[in-house]
Amino acid sequence: MKSVLNNILGAVGETPLVHLKKISEREKINVYAKIEYFNPGLSIKDRVAIKFIEEAEKNGKLRPGATVIERTSGNMGTGLAIVCAVKGYKFIAVMSEGNSVERRRMLSALGAEVVLVPQAPSGKPGFVSGEDLELVETQTKELASKLNAYRPDQFNNPDGAKAHEETTGQEIWSQMDGKIDAFVTYVGSGGTFVGTSRALKNHNKNVKCFVVEPESAPYLAGKKILSTRHRIQGGGYAFKPPFWDNSLVDGYLTVSDEEAMNSARNLAAKEGIFAGYSSGANVAACLKTAEVLEKDSCVVTILPDSGLKYLSTDLFI
Ligand SMILES: Cc1ncc(COP(=O)(O)O)c(C=O)c1O
């Protein structure tokens, strides 16, 4: 147990890793989940937020009293809002109106200014497409230059992957005691996949790393994009970050909206783990690795955020 913390940032990381015994019960493989909703912002992005702000402080991009601005689907913003609240920076989150309402309320409560960008004409709430994100991008760029604000820019900043290489990957390796055969995770900015896979492969180059994408948008796998309008919030944007590293990829998996939702419901009902859409997608994808891995393989995945972030959607009704 950690002793008294100086502030809430000390509670980021060192999250639990749980063997999903009931879900693995009749499977050929064993699935383990790193539960990132134990972070203060209820998501994996708190790790990245600390890294972005501390690196910017070190290299002089961020001075006391400055403003920080970021384009976010919610979790990156929540992480940055927490770090900025603790360190005394003003924070502006620019997000699509298509993201769930809990996300924006949490951001406001944490002292962030939330700028909502209307969706593209064919947009539907709950489905944030690549087109919607382009609109958010334009607005973020304009505001950042007008306000002379610091923009961490998670989709282009390699420090996101570094945060995972230094923390998430090391934690998984030591929690599994090195007994890990595969790592599986969904891709948004790509930081979790790249950083964690790199750390695990540095420990053992035989760890197989699998990318998870929506069934309708297998972009990184180089297949046809049918639509970027899917339910798995936080990724699947048909985007390849500049810091992407193909040499880390051993395979590509896809998950449909229905599979992701059923899997998130299963996690809650069977394992008592209340997580979001991408967590469901990750666990569903892990089960698909049984086709290519040896019997009794240990497969680790990430549960990026909490089910509490989706109470206004039909994920849990
Ligand atoms: C819910 C959720 N799942 C998955 C991801 C993807 O993580 P990464 O950006 O590290 O690829 C994100 C990123 O914001 C997210 O919010």
Side-chain angles (χ1 to χ4, degrees):
M1 183 85 184
K2 283 175 184 162
S3 51
V4 175
L5 302 171
N6 263 341
N7 58 54
I8 195 67
L9 304 187
V12 174
E14 301 291 344
T15 52
L17 183 64
V18 176
H19 184 183
L20 304 181
K21 285 198 179 144
K22 290 196 179 149
I23 285 177
S24 305
E25 214 166 33
R26 277 187 292 275
E27 302 289 336
K28 217 182 88 187
I29 51 154
N30 282 294
V31 179
Y32 297 80
K34 188 141 175 76
I35 310 187
E36 289 297 308
Y37 64 64
F38 274 80
N39 286 305
L42 312 183
S43 97
I44 192 161
K45 286 289 176 176
D46 294 2
R47 296 174 184 269
V48 178
I50 292 184
K51 181 79 177 165
F52 281 165
I53 297 300
E54 291 187 347
E55 286 301 315
E57 285 173 336
K58 266 193 239 158
N59 61 30
K61 284 187 189 157
L62 199 49
R63 303 207 184 273
T67 299
V68 175
I69 188 166
E70 184 71 331
R71 148 189 155 185
T72 171
S73 62
N75 285 332
M76 186 71 253
T78 304
L80 285 168
I82 290 171
V83 180
C84 289
V86 170
K87 288 177 172 275
Y89 300 111
K90 177 177 163 61
F91 177 58
I92 303 174
V94 189
M95 70 192 287
S96 168
E97 261 177 3
N99 285 119
S100 62
V101 70
E102 302 75 347
R103 290 169 175 237
R104 57 180 105 134
R105 289 201 183 143
M106 191 168 174
L107 280 163
S108 302
L110 289 164
E113 182 184 326
V114 182
V115 175
L116 285 179
V117 179
Q119 290 187 272
S122 57
K124 253 171 76 186
F127 295 74
V128 177
S129 69
E131 227 183 313
D132 296 329
L133 281 183
E134 270 171 36
L135 296 170
V136 181
E137 172 64 24
T138 308
Q139 184 109 347
T140 311
K141 263 197 199 140
E142 277 172 20
L143 275 173
S145 96
K146 190 167 130 199
L147 303 170
N148 195 21
Y150 170 63
R151 180 180 182 198
D153 199 0
Q154 61 165 325
F155 291 95
N156 289 296
N157 190 337
D159 285 337
K162 282 209 193 95
H164 292 296
E165 188 176 347
E166 290 164 6
T167 69
T168 321
Q170 307 306 335
E171 289 171 29
I172 291 174
W173 182 259
S174 90
Q175 285 168 305
M176 291 298 290
D177 222 357
K179 293 184 192 73
I180 162 170
D181 299 293
F183 173 66
V184 171
T185 205
Y186 188 58
V187 173
S189 72
T192 310
F193 179 84
V194 170
T196 311
S197 302
R198 188 168 284 146
L200 293 171
K201 282 184 186 277
N202 279 342
H203 282 289
N204 175 0
K205 62 177 177 22
N206 296 322
V207 176
K208 300 257 177 292
C209 298
F210 294 89
V211 163
V212 181
E213 298 187 281
E215 193 175 57
S216 64
Y219 177 79
L220 294 165
K223 297 205 178 126
K224 194 166 177 230
I225 311 294
L226 298 173
S227 164
T228 53
R229 254 178 229 296
H230 55 80
R231 307 293 304 271
I232 314 170
Q233 290 187 37
Y237 303 128
F239 158 83
K240 189 191 257 190
F243 54 83
W244 187 253
D245 181 352
N246 266 333
S247 73
L248 299 169
V249 185
D250 294 290
Y252 299 90
L253 302 161
T254 58
V255 176
S256 69
D257 288 353
E258 291 67 34
E259 285 172 322
M261 290 167 82
N262 287 336
S263 166
R265 290 169 185 153
N266 244 342
L267 262 174
K270 283 196 178 164
E271 303 277 0
I273 297 174
F274 191 57
Y277 287 89
S278 63
S279 303
N282 277 346
V283 172
C286 281
L287 299 180
K288 297 186 181 190
T289 64
E291 288 165 25
V292 290
L293 297 178
E294 282 176 22
K295 191 172 176 301
D296 297 328
S297 287
C298 295
V299 182
V300 176
T301 193
I302 303 279
L303 307 189
D305 70 0
S306 167
L308 288 174
K309 300 213 174 194
Y310 306 95
L311 286 181
S312 68
T313 76
D314 62 356
L315 182 54
F316 299 109
I317 46 173

